């Protein structure tokens, strides 16, 4: 049995083993560093030819061509260099063949020409077979490319010598078809004869196959329909190749041809459909668009990835709509072009109920239908904007009389487009379809809201588009507003507010209509006053109704402010009884109404003073609420403004008349604040109120030549100083004393000037010197006195 040592002995053994390992590691690292240094020195010392070993080298000399540890790395791989050389060689041979064909061709007879071209082309096409069998694939690819280029030269030479009288475009069509067939057969034949074939011939054949149909259509002087057909047929063939062939290169070439030629074909077919003026032309263009849509949908059905299938299905659906709508669009009036397209766009949704269609294709058709519907709705938006904003024109011509229909705005008519009559139809169609299509629980509420918005937009358009009578239009908008506000959800309520604004501006054409509509809107939104938005809108319309009622009674604009003030009163009374958010909205709206009243009264000073005072009363009532205590400052400011306006109206120029109404409330506020908080500084409590009166009065008294103002100001300053000394308050003592000293100096200044004029010029310097000597002699005592004064002031409040 194995003897296990005790833990202390085992720990000692482990520590010894670890120490030995550390020492061995240090030894190996030292040896490695020495070897690295030797290699560096051997790389820097040039070796003589034939030297078996480099001086100081631990290994042997580096073999020629071998990549040593310090040899520069190659910048190109061997296959890359090989392919580049083969490509350059093939290009040079092709250039030489072209030069021979174009320059030296005329020096040979017919037999010589045939022999040269036949031999060279046959050799170039035959050489790749043995090359492939020996594994020289890249060389075979280059030679085969040269052979393909020679076949093009053969075709050109044949036309130049034997078929010069034939049409060049037609010959090019036939030649490209023949070359495509020959190249494809050549590539497939090589694969059977020499094993794995070449990558170039078959893709080159597919590239050449893009030309025959297009060139044939051009050669036959086909109409744009024929050329477009050639493009689309070629794209269809490319699509089939891309879906069925497994080779990557061939699929890339085929997909490029399908997208390129198919895109040009779709643009041409769309242009033909747009410019078609008769059913026959529209039908031919529609057939082309349907053919393009069939290509896209077939490719989507067989697409290898869901993303590709989705994109192709969207394209196919988008092409199907104008194809089916092309003929009806030409037959029907222009105003129904958009609804016709919308109908066929909605018809695409039928594919969603066919389970045999792959899911990505169905989804793509659904997206295509949604895109058509979105474009149709966007087409209506400018007309909806005009219908909503058009009534704003009545602001400049209020109560001029009801127009024949809402299409008239102010003194001019809204320029409606000729196809505006179809806009409500489009909106109603989309609004009716959307909720029935979206059935998911998450998206259905949003779909219902969008459908409601589209239906609302249709109703807004109806009065102006169909030129309804003015009264009927007002009733329709009023009913719409009431219906939306009854839904009590945020989106319908917002739509109701927008409709009510349009209704209110539309009613400005007639005085009875204005009063009736504003009263109706005030009552309607007051029914939902428990919510912030309806409550604020109700007060806004109440403000407008008060102004309109005052104007209807013949009141001047400044006196209309008084009935407008009833709205802030109502807001102050209702706000405490409503929820917090609603109450805040009501108070803000009431404040805006008060500003409107002030703006109306600004032209008459006495009325303005009255309005400001009434606003102050409203603010005072609001400040009685515990949560609205800061409103007292607003009330005070309003009362002060009212007093100032009234004084300005009386042409009072005495500053104390303006400052005392401010100082007294401020001092009362300060007194109340210090009563509630005895630790408050007198500067915070009393300095604002004292400064408002003392400072302007002092400035005015400085230029006053009479004795009454300085006497009264000095008396007031003395009283303030005594009160401050009595109650040991810093602010009254400092402010009152400063004003008292300045007033005294102002009053004694003339006499001091007279005394200074009687004294000799040496007296002031002498007096200054004596003062300085006295101060210097008693400097320490003066410092103690200053400290005592500072401490005394510091003990005050």
């Amino acid at each position: 049995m194995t003897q296990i040592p005790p833990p202390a002995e085992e720990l000692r053994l482990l520590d010894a083993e670890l120490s030995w390992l550390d020492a061995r590691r240090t030894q190996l690292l030292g040896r490695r560093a020495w070897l690295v240094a030797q290699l560096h020195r051997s790389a820097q010392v040039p070796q003589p030819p034939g030297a078996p070993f480099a001086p100081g080298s631990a290994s042997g000399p580096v073999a020629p061509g071998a990549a040593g540890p310090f040899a520069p790395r190659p910048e190109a791989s061997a296959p890359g260099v090989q392919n580049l050389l083969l490509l350059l060689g093939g290009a040079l041979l092709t250039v030489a063949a072209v030069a021979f064909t174009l320059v030296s061709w005329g020096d040979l007879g017919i037999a010589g020409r045939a022999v040269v071209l036949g031999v060279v082309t046959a050799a170039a096409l035959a050489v790749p077979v043995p090359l492939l069998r020996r594994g020289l694939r890249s060389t075979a690819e280059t030679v085969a490319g040269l052979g393909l280029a020679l076949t093009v030269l053969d075709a050109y030479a044949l036309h130049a010598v034997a078929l010069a009288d034939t049409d060049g475009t037609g010959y090019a069509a036939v030649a490209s078809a023949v070359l495509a067939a020959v190249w494809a057969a050549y590539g497939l034949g090589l694969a059977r004869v020499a094993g794995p074939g070449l990558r170039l011939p078959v893709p080159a054949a597919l590239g050449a196959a893009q030309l025959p149909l297009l060139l044939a259509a051009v050669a036959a002087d086909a109409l744009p329909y024929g050329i477009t057909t050639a493009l689309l047929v070629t794209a269809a063939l490319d699509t089939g190749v891309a879906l069925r062939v497994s080779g990557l290169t061939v699929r890339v070439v085929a997909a490029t041809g399908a997208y390129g030629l198919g895109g040009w074909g779709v643009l041409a077919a769309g242009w033909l459909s747009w410019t078609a003026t008769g059913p026959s032309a529209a039908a031919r263009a529609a057939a082309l668009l349907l053919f393009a849509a069939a290509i896209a949908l077939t490719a989507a059905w067989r697409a290898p990835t869901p993303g590709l299938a989705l994109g192709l299905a969207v394209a196919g659906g988008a092409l199907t709509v104008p194809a089916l709508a092309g003929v009806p669009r030409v037959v029907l009036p222009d105003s129904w072009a958009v609804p016709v397209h919308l109908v066929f766009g909605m018809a695409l949704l039928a594919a969603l109920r066919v389970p045999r269609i792959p899911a990505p294709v169905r989804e793509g058709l659904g997206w295509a239908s949604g895109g058509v519907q979105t474009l149709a709705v966007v087409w209506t938006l400018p007309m909806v904007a005009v219908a909503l904003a058009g009534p704003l024109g009545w602001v400049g011509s209020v109560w001029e009389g009801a127009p024949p229909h809402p299409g008239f705005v102010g003194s001019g008519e809204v320029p409606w487009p000729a196809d505006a009559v179809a806009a409500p139809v489009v909106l109603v169609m989309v609004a009716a379809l959307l909720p029935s299509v979206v059935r998911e629980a998450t998206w259905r509420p949003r779909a219902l809201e969008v459908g409601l918005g589209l239906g609302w937009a249709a109703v807004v358009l109806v009065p102006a588009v169909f030129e309804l009578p003015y009264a009927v239009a007002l009733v329709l908008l009023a009913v719409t507003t009431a219906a939306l506000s009854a839904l009590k959800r945020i989106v319908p309520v917002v739509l109701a507010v927008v409709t009510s604004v349009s209704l209110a501006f539309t009613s400005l054409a007639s005085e009875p209509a204005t009063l009736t509509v504003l009263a109706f809107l005030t009552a309607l939104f007051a029914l939902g006053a428990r919510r912030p938005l309806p409550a604020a809108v109700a007060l806004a319309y109440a403000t407008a109704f008060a102004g309109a009622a005052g104007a209807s009674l013949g009141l001047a604009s400044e006196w209309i402010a008084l009935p407008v003030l009833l709205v802030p009163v109502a807001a102050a009374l209702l706000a405490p009884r409503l929820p917090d958010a609603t109450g805040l909205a009501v108070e803000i709206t009431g404040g805006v109404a008060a500003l409107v009243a002030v703006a109306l009264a600004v032209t008459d000073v006495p009325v303005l003073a009255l309005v400001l005072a009434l606003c102050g009363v409203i603010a005072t009532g609001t400040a009685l609420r515990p949560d609205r205590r800061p409103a007292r400052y607003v009330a005070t400011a309003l009362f002060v403004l009212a007093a100032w306006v009234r004084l300005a109206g009386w042409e009072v120029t005495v500053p104390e008349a303006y400052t005392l109404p401010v100082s007294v409330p401020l001092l009362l506020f300060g007194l109340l604040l210090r009563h509630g908080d005895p630790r408050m500084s007198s500067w915070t409590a009393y300095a604002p109120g004292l400064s408002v009166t003392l400072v302007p009065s002092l400035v005015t008294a400085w230029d006053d030549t009479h004795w009454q103002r300085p006497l009264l100001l000095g008396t007031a300053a003395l009283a303030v100083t005594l009160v401050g000394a009595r109650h040991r308050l810093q602010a009254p003592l400092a402010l009152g004393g400063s004003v008292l000293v300045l007033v005294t100096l102002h009053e004694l200044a003339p006499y001091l000037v007279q005394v200074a004029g009687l004294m000799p010029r040496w007296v002031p310097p002498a007096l200054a010197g004596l003062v300085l000597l006295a101060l210097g002699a008693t400097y320490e005592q003066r410092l103690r006195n200053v400290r005592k004064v500072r401490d005394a002031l510091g003990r005050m409040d």
Side-chain angles (χ1 to χ4, degrees):
M1 297 180 60
T2 304
Q3 297 293 330
I4 300 176
E9 181 63 17
E10 186 177 3
L11 180 61
R12 186 185 64 79
L13 294 175
L14 290 176
D15 290 339
E17 187 71 17
L18 290 174
S19 299
W20 181 84
L21 290 174
D22 290 338
R24 180 59 178 168
R25 184 175 185 276
T26 303
Q27 180 183 2
L28 294 176
L29 288 175
R31 178 63 179 176
R32 181 182 181 279
W34 181 84
L35 292 173
V36 170
Q38 293 299 319
L39 289 175
H40 275 287
R41 282 195 293 270
S42 64
Q44 295 173 358
V45 176
Q47 300 184 19
F53 294 97
S57 175
S59 59
V62 180
F70 302 100
R73 300 182 61 183
E75 297 181 353
S77 62
V81 174
Q82 171 189 337
N83 293 334
L84 178 60
L85 293 176
L86 293 174
L87 179 62
L88 291 176
L92 292 176
L93 288 175
T94 303
V95 171
V98 172
F100 170 78
T101 304
L102 297 178
V103 178
S104 301
W105 183 257
D107 297 336
L108 299 175
I110 296 177
R113 299 169 187 174
V115 171
V116 170
L117 282 177
V119 170
V120 174
T121 303
L125 294 176
V127 167
V129 175
L131 292 177
L132 286 174
R133 291 175 178 175
R134 296 186 179 185
L136 301 176
R137 184 184 182 88
S138 298
T139 306
E141 201 83 53
T142 303
V143 177
L146 176 61
L148 299 181
L150 288 174
T151 58
V152 177
L153 296 178
D154 291 341
Y156 167 76
L158 180 61
H159 179 267
V161 174
L163 302 174
D165 296 334
T166 59
D167 178 62
T169 306
Y171 177 80
V174 175
S176 58
V178 173
L179 288 176
V182 170
W183 291 352
Y186 176 68
L188 297 176
L190 283 179
R192 292 183 178 182
V193 174
L198 301 176
R199 291 187 295 267
L200 180 61
V202 176
L206 186 58
Q210 310 300 311
L211 302 177
L213 292 179
L214 179 60
L215 293 177
V218 174
D221 292 330
L223 296 175
Y225 296 94
I227 296 176
T228 305
T229 303
L231 290 172
L232 293 177
V233 169
T234 306
L237 296 176
D238 289 333
T239 303
V241 173
L243 293 175
R244 293 181 176 275
V245 177
S246 59
L248 178 60
T249 306
V250 177
R251 293 178 64 183
V252 170
V253 175
T256 304
Y259 282 114
L261 297 181
W264 282 108
V266 167
L267 291 177
W271 178 79
L272 292 173
S273 177
W274 182 260
T275 58
T277 57
S280 176
R284 285 181 287 172
L288 293 175
L289 287 174
L290 281 177
F291 182 38
I295 296 172
L297 292 175
T298 303
W301 198 294
R302 300 179 178 276
T305 61
L308 181 60
L310 176 64
L312 291 172
V314 171
L319 292 173
T320 303
V321 172
L324 298 177
V327 176
R329 180 184 63 82
V330 176
V331 175
L332 296 175
D334 293 339
S335 57
W336 295 101
V338 175
V340 167
H341 285 80
L342 181 59
V343 168
F344 289 106
M346 291 179 173
L348 293 177
L349 296 176
L352 300 178
R353 303 181 181 275
V354 181
R356 294 182 57 187
I357 300 177
V361 178
R362 282 182 290 165
E363 185 179 355
L365 293 175
W367 280 105
S369 176
V372 173
Q373 297 178 54
T374 302
L375 291 176
V377 172
V378 170
W379 171 76
T380 66
L381 293 182
M383 289 173 276
V384 176
V386 172
L388 290 174
L392 297 177
W394 285 109
V395 174
S397 51
V398 177
W399 294 354
E400 289 188 352
H405 58 82
F408 284 92
V409 176
S411 58
E413 189 175 358
V414 177
W416 289 98
D419 53 357
V421 67
V425 178
V426 168
L427 292 170
V428 170
M429 291 172 61
V430 179
L433 178 68
L434 188 60
S436 62
V437 174
V438 181
R439 299 184 178 274
E440 296 181 2
T442 304
W443 293 98
R444 184 167 178 78
R446 300 180 183 179
L448 292 174
E449 291 181 350
V450 174
L452 177 64
L454 295 175
W456 163 80
V459 174
V460 169
L461 282 174
V462 166
V465 170
F466 295 100
E467 298 183 356
L468 298 180
Y470 180 72
V472 176
L474 291 179
V475 172
L476 178 61
L477 292 176
V479 171
T480 304
T481 304
L484 290 171
S485 62
L487 296 178
K488 300 184 183 303
R489 294 197 302 270
I490 183 63
V491 173
V493 171
V494 171
L495 296 178
V497 172
V498 175
T499 310
S500 67
V501 173
S502 180
L503 173 62
F505 279 100
T506 304
S507 68
L508 293 179
S510 171
E511 180 179 348
T514 301
L515 296 175
T516 303
V517 167
L518 292 178
F520 166 74
L521 293 177
T522 302
L524 176 65
F525 286 101
L527 296 176
R530 301 295 297 178
R531 291 170 293 164
L533 182 58
V537 174
L539 288 180
Y541 285 123
T543 304
F545 176 76
S552 178
L553 294 174
L555 299 178
S557 61
E558 59 269 17
W559 291 106
I560 295 177
L562 296 180
V564 171
L565 280 179
L566 295 176
V567 176
V569 173
L573 295 176
L574 292 174
R577 296 170 176 80
L578 297 173
D580 292 341
T582 305
L584 179 60
V586 166
E587 289 176 337
I588 293 174
T589 309
V592 174
L595 292 177
V596 172
V598 172
L600 290 172
V602 75
T603 57
D604 190 289
V605 174
V607 178
L608 178 60
L610 176 60
V611 170
L612 289 172
L614 293 176
C615 291
V617 173
I618 298 172
T620 302
T622 304
L624 296 177
R625 295 169 52 188
D627 57 338
R628 293 293 186 267
R629 295 298 186 195
R632 56 189 175 182
Y633 302 111
V634 178
T636 303
L638 289 172
F639 284 129
V640 170
L641 287 175
W644 285 358
V645 170
R646 183 68 269 185
L647 291 172
W650 288 333
E651 297 182 355
V652 175
T653 59
V654 179
E656 288 78 10
Y658 296 90
T659 57
L660 284 176
V662 180
S663 293
V664 173
L666 288 177
L667 290 175
L668 292 177
F669 278 130
L671 183 62
L672 291 176
L673 291 174
R674 276 186 58 83
H675 181 73
D677 186 8
R679 295 175 297 177
M680 181 177 291
S681 171
S682 63
W683 290 101
T684 303
Y686 304 122
L690 294 174
S691 301
V692 167
T693 295
L694 292 177
V695 173
S697 298
L698 179 62
V699 173
T700 305
W702 203 261
D703 294 331
D704 197 345
T705 58
H706 301 85
W707 57 272
Q708 293 88 349
R709 183 184 300 278
L711 177 61
L712 294 175
L713 180 59
T715 303
L718 177 60
V720 171
T721 304
L722 294 177
V723 170
R726 171 69 179 79
H727 296 282
R728 301 175 64 187
L729 300 175
Q730 289 184 3
L733 183 61
L735 292 175
S738 301
V739 172
L740 181 61
V741 170
L742 293 174
V743 170
T744 303
L745 289 175
H746 175 266
E747 293 302 313
L748 295 178
Y751 304 102
L752 295 176
V753 170
Q754 293 178 3
V755 172
L758 296 174
M759 288 188 302
R761 293 184 179 274
W762 56 268
V763 173
L767 291 176
L770 291 174
V771 170
L772 292 175
L773 288 175
L775 289 174
T778 58
Y779 180 74
E780 185 177 358
Q781 182 61 35
R782 300 299 180 187
L783 287 178
R784 282 198 296 268
N785 293 338
V786 170
R787 293 191 186 97
K788 290 180 180 179
V789 173
R790 184 189 64 187
D791 295 339
L793 291 175
R795 288 191 294 271
M796 297 181 181
D797 297 328

